[in-house]
Amino acid sequence: IELGYTPGPTRFELVGLSHVLKTSTEALAGDVNLDTIVTWDPWSNPERAEHFLHLLSVYQRGAGELLGWARFLPCSLETEKFMVEHHKATFNLEEASAPRDYKEAAMRMYNRVGNDRREKLYNAGAERTWSLNHIMLLRDLQAISQGTGQYSGIEAGIRRECLANLATLVREESWKINLYVVDDEPGLQSLPAVASYDSWVVLDSKFAFWRDLRGVMSYSANAEFVKRVQRPPLEVLLENAAYRSRRQVLALLDKLSACSG
């Protein structure tokens, strides 16, 4: 393979090699430009997280903005205690939908990625070149506050501490962390990004990654695709944010934190 003999390895052989070598099929096949959409299933191949983190760090260099929407807070904006409990609830180790060892490996991977992202965010502080602009629906923030849905098993004190920490991060303007909250308007919920995915993120118009409701991630560095397909839904959500000024968002977070119980 290294000498470039043809025919090269089949797709099946590349997948097998990527698992053994703990890397991606793109790295093995030389698809460094990511001209096509790359799909990654963290459940079956959690080791590939290092490759994804490397790509993310590469595209963050010199970037101006990370703009994203999710049904939850990014790990970097959560406290570690909240993140760990949230991942436990997400993977539900007792449920038999997937082998327990698969779930435990995936959960460890997400905890590792989350801690890495949080550490880098905190270490960079005001020196970070890009702003972190995160969009959430009001109902999803209220679920954290009220301890409903996926947060029902997380203690009130941990949820309250997470919301208070989020307010601290947003309050410090030099850190360039902005939260935008959208009311639950039916028209916005029908957007494909909101209806079929749990997270949708772009770095400028250079790199995008998104995760579907099964937990499968996809990403692309095709600038035209990111600009034409991935970024517009986020801009629609941003334009319709009911809470957008720092003052409005901080007042909402204070209210949600006080009501945590």
Side-chain angles (χ1 to χ4, degrees):
I1 293 172
E2 289 180 339
L3 291 174
Y5 287 123
T6 55
T10 65
R11 178 70 183 174
F12 177 79
E13 290 168 332
L14 278 174
V15 170
L17 284 169
S18 72
H19 278 267
V20 172
L21 299 175
K22 297 183 179 180
T23 186
S24 66
T25 54
E26 296 75 45
L28 292 175
D31 185 15
V32 294
N33 292 321
L34 298 179
D35 285 333
T36 56
I37 295 174
V38 178
T39 301
W40 165 41
D41 184 356
W43 288 80
S44 60
N45 192 4
E47 295 87 356
R48 205 169 143 184
E50 303 305 324
H51 176 67
F52 176 73
L53 284 173
H54 172 70
L55 282 174
L56 198 53
S57 65
V58 168
Y59 285 99
Q60 280 179 347
R61 295 172 194 159
E65 177 191 43
L66 186 151
L67 174 63
W69 161 83
R71 297 170 184 260
F72 44 82
L73 288 169
C75 293
S76 56
L77 300 184
E78 295 177 333
T79 60
E80 184 175 5
K81 284 183 180 179
F82 183 92
M83 178 195 73
V84 170
E85 293 303 313
H86 183 202
H87 286 163
K88 283 181 182 178
T90 300
F91 289 101
N92 193 358
L93 298 179
E94 304 309 318
E95 185 184 313
S97 59
R100 186 184 178 97
D101 58 342
Y102 270 41
K103 288 186 174 186
E104 288 178 339
M107 189 169 66
R108 286 194 299 270
M109 180 273 293
Y110 275 111
N111 285 340
R112 187 173 71 252
V113 169
N115 286 330
D116 177 88
R117 297 288 295 156
R118 188 185 311 102
E119 182 181 359
K120 287 180 177 176
L121 181 74
Y122 285 14
N123 287 343
E127 302 302 316
R128 179 168 35 84
T129 60
W130 46 273
S131 61
L132 195 168
N133 298 326
H134 184 64
I135 307 167
M136 285 187 73
L137 296 181
L138 178 59
R139 65 178 181 187
D140 293 323
L141 270 177
Q142 289 172 330
I144 296 175
S145 171
Q146 298 164 4
T148 57
Q150 59 186 315
Y151 308 108
S152 60
I154 303 179
E155 294 177 7
I158 294 177
R159 290 185 281 106
R160 193 179 303 116
E161 182 183 22
C162 181
L163 290 171
N165 178 71
L166 177 60
T168 299
L169 295 174
V170 172
R171 187 174 289 110
E172 182 50 65
E173 293 187 43
S174 65
W175 277 47
K176 300 185 284 289
I177 295 174
N178 301 298
L179 179 66
Y180 299 92
V181 184
V182 180
D183 275 335
D184 302 340
E185 298 178 25
L188 296 177
Q189 291 183 35
S190 65
L191 282 173
V194 175
S196 303
Y197 298 87
D198 72 3
S199 55
W200 188 281
V201 183
V202 298
L203 263 168
D204 294 337
S205 293
K206 300 175 183 177
F207 186 65
F209 56 97
W210 57 103
R211 191 172 71 179
D212 67 22
L213 297 177
R214 299 168 300 158
V216 175
M217 289 192 66
S218 302
Y219 50 89
S220 175
N222 183 315
E224 183 61 27
F225 173 77
V226 174
K227 180 180 179 180
R228 181 171 49 85
V229 177
Q230 296 301 110
R231 192 173 180 91
L234 292 173
E235 292 177 344
V236 171
L237 287 170
L238 195 59
E239 289 170 4
N240 286 274
Y243 303 84
R244 51 189 312 114
S245 74
R246 200 174 302 274
R247 178 183 58 78
Q248 289 175 316
V249 171
L250 288 172
L252 174 64
L253 290 176
D254 287 343
K255 178 181 177 181
L256 292 174
S257 182
C259 294
S260 296

